[in-house]
Amino acid sequence: MFGFFKKNKGPFNATISPLGKTISVKGGSSENLLKVALENGINWPYNCRVGSCGSCKCKLVSGQIKPLNDFSYVLTGEELDQGYILACQTMLRSDIEVEVPLEANGVELAKSRRIEGRISRVEKLTHDILDVGIELEAALTDYLPGQYADVTIPG
């Protein structure tokens, strides 16, 4: 009884064009589209992950989303009218399809991967900023200037 009041909280499928790859995204605020795409090895362009740079923009072809923040601060009115969204600020409300450019200025972005390393030096720059040097086990040969790396320290 009253089942029509229930909201479907996922998980939902996101189909990524032109790859044709589909990923599963949990409902609720725990996962955004960009986070899940990166975890699934999709070379999605991004920089800030907080909705201020616009690098992760993609076109919503079908489905319903819930923006975590207002896209109009970053996207133009024309982009909004054309259905563009920010993947880092997008929760899914249904299965969706999005189109995302997987190249940056004609250059294929580096593939997501895990590289082990060790901290080689630490220098205190201010009371709350450290300069940390990391020696990696493999070179970042396909890294492009401006790309980010996520660093995880065990324990």
Side-chain angles (χ1 to χ4, degrees):
M1 188 165 134
F2 301 112
F4 57 91
F5 288 116
K6 279 187 162 180
K7 290 185 178 181
N8 185 354
K9 295 188 179 188
F12 301 110
N13 290 322
T15 302
I16 315 300
S17 295
L19 289 178
K21 184 172 183 175
T22 300
I23 57 175
S24 180
V25 182
K26 292 178 188 171
S29 62
S30 64
E31 291 189 337
N32 64 58
L33 179 57
L34 176 63
K35 177 183 181 287
V36 176
L38 295 172
E39 289 171 353
N40 280 273
I42 296 173
N43 299 326
W44 200 296
Y46 72 98
N47 280 321
C48 70
R49 291 181 125 178
V50 295
S52 61
C53 72
S55 297
C56 68
K57 75 179 172 186
C58 59
K59 185 174 185 177
L60 181 64
V61 175
S62 65
Q64 295 181 344
I65 60 131
K66 178 183 178 185
L68 296 170
N69 285 316
D70 185 1
F71 299 152
S72 67
Y73 290 103
V74 177
L75 302 176
T76 67
E78 185 176 314
E79 288 172 325
L80 292 169
D81 290 343
Q82 293 173 4
Y84 281 89
I85 61 174
L86 299 175
C88 72
Q89 297 299 307
T90 295
M91 291 178 12
L92 275 56
R93 286 209 166 149
S94 72
D95 291 346
I96 66 167
E97 180 182 351
V98 292
E99 293 174 353
V100 58
L102 297 176
E103 293 185 355
N105 299 324
V107 177
E108 186 175 337
L109 298 173
K111 302 218 181 313
S112 177
R113 64 194 183 277
R114 181 176 300 267
I115 299 175
E116 297 288 324
R118 68 173 195 82
I119 296 175
S120 60
R121 71 176 161 72
V122 177
E123 179 183 346
K124 190 172 185 175
L125 300 178
T126 68
H127 73 282
D128 62 350
I129 298 175
L130 296 175
D131 180 9
V132 180
I134 302 173
E135 291 181 13
L136 300 175
E137 291 180 354
L140 294 175
T141 56
D142 56 352
Y143 178 84
L144 298 173
Q147 283 188 301
Y148 284 71
D150 290 324
V151 178
T152 304
I153 299 174

